[in-house]
Each structure stands twice: as structure tokens, then as C-alpha cells.
Amino acid sequence: MSRIGNKVITIPEGVEINVDGNLVTVKGKNGELSREISPIIDLNIEDNEITFTRPDDSKASRTIHGTTRAIVNNMVEGVTDGFEKVLELNGVGYRAQKQGNKIVVNVGLSHPVEFEPVEGLTVDVPSNTVISIKGANKEHVGALAASIRAVRPPEPYKGKGIRYRGEFVRRKEGKTGK
């Protein structure tokens, strides 16, 4: 029983949704997103509400039911409000800077690491230890944030590294001498 798949999505003001076969296109103030959904799930739009129905209760249709609803909901939320991930750099000499469209991160490696954001993403560096990634597509925002974090994930002994804002890193006690 998919509880997520049965929830109704309310279409906000100023959002336009087009369904062409399996291709769903959502337009809003933050841009346009399109994605192919599973042909198993039926998408119905009535009175500014989107509902999803599945043909039967097989395991395959139950699993894709909630996933399809979540994907379309993220598209609607992305074109209205957008998504944001904020990364914090913790460590002596760890810093980030914006050069044109690229982000250059210095985190104790022998070379600076550069990242080029995908089209549709805006990356901002409000201070040299904070990186803010914004965009309409939740997958692209999360993927860029994860690739930047993967350069130097936070380590548990000194807490140095790149972490998401609000992420808790469990600290460990170091070695003790005799």
C-alpha cells in the first residue's frame, strides 16, 4: 500500500503542467523541467490537483507508484520555490572562491579543485568557507553538492572537511598515551 503515491499534489498558481504520453513537463517562475515517468502509472489532472493511480497491487507497480508521485512533486516544488544546499568548509586554510562560473575549492590538497555547475544551477560563495547551491532540479543540486563534499568529507577526529549545513559529525576520541 503506497501512502505517498495516494497523496494528491496541488498545483500552485503560475505553474503549468503538460503531459504528452509518458513525458511530463512542468513550467513555473524558476524555469521548466521535463521528465519521462513510468508508463505503468496513470497521471490525472483535475481542478488544479494531480492524482496518480496504479493498475494493480503488484510489487513493481507499488514501488513505482510512490516514486513517480515524489518525482513530479519535486518538479512542481522546484519550479515554484527551488532547492538549495549549503556546504560549510571546516579546517585551517580551507576556502572556496568563485571564478567566473566555476567554483575553486582549496582543502589541503596539492592542487585546487574546480567545479563547473550544470546549466540551471546558481552557485554562490557568500564567504570563503560557505558554498550555496540553488536550482530548480533537486537531483542536480544534490549531485553537485555531493561531488563537492566528496573532495574532503568531514573526518571524525578533528572535524575538518566539507559538510552540509546542519550535518552532525560524530566526533571520536583520539589515541591516548601511557
Side-chain angles (χ1 to χ4, degrees):
M1 172 173 141
S2 174
R3 295 185 183 145
I4 299 293
N6 291 332
K7 290 176 95 178
V8 175
I9 300 174
T10 339
I11 302 172
E13 193 75 27
V15 175
E16 186 180 317
I17 297 179
N18 296 323
V19 181
D20 184 26
N22 296 344
L23 185 70
V24 177
T25 306
V26 182
K27 292 180 187 174
K29 66 177 182 178
N30 286 347
E32 177 180 339
L33 296 173
S34 61
R35 174 123 184 198
E36 273 195 37
I37 61 170
S38 174
I40 298 172
I41 304 300
D42 294 326
L43 185 144
N44 304 316
I45 302 173
E46 300 172 351
D47 301 330
N48 283 343
E49 290 185 340
I50 306 171
T51 56
F52 299 90
T53 54
R54 60 178 184 245
D56 55 14
D57 278 343
S58 68
K59 185 167 177 77
S61 63
R62 281 192 324 238
T63 55
I64 202 71
H65 188 206
T67 304
T68 304
R69 189 254 179 215
I71 288 170
V72 173
N73 187 44
N74 286 339
M75 290 169 64
V76 170
E77 190 177 330
V79 297
T80 55
D81 301 330
F83 295 100
E84 179 181 19
K85 288 271 189 183
V86 179
L87 298 168
E88 297 173 341
L89 285 71
N90 295 331
V92 176
Y94 288 13
R95 65 185 184 277
Q97 55 190 1
K98 189 170 182 178
Q99 293 179 350
N101 195 26
K102 290 189 230 176
I103 295 295
V104 179
V105 180
N106 293 313
V107 284
L109 300 175
S110 63
H111 60 285
V113 184
E114 295 183 356
F115 291 96
E116 182 94 30
V118 183
E119 185 179 330
L121 294 183
T122 57
V123 182
D124 191 29
V125 184
S127 72
N128 61 357
T129 59
V130 177
I131 302 171
S132 172
I133 304 165
K134 296 178 185 174
N137 192 331
K138 188 174 188 177
E139 288 181 50
H140 293 309
V141 171
L144 181 60
S147 64
I148 292 174
R149 183 183 182 273
V151 170
R152 183 73 80 178
E155 54 95 18
Y157 294 102
K158 292 185 178 178
K160 294 166 55 170
I162 303 172
R163 67 178 77 185
Y164 297 114
R165 177 165 283 163
E167 178 183 5
F168 176 74
V169 177
R170 193 162 169 215
R171 300 292 296 269
K172 292 182 179 179
E173 189 176 324
K175 290 183 179 180
T176 57
K178 282 192 168 188

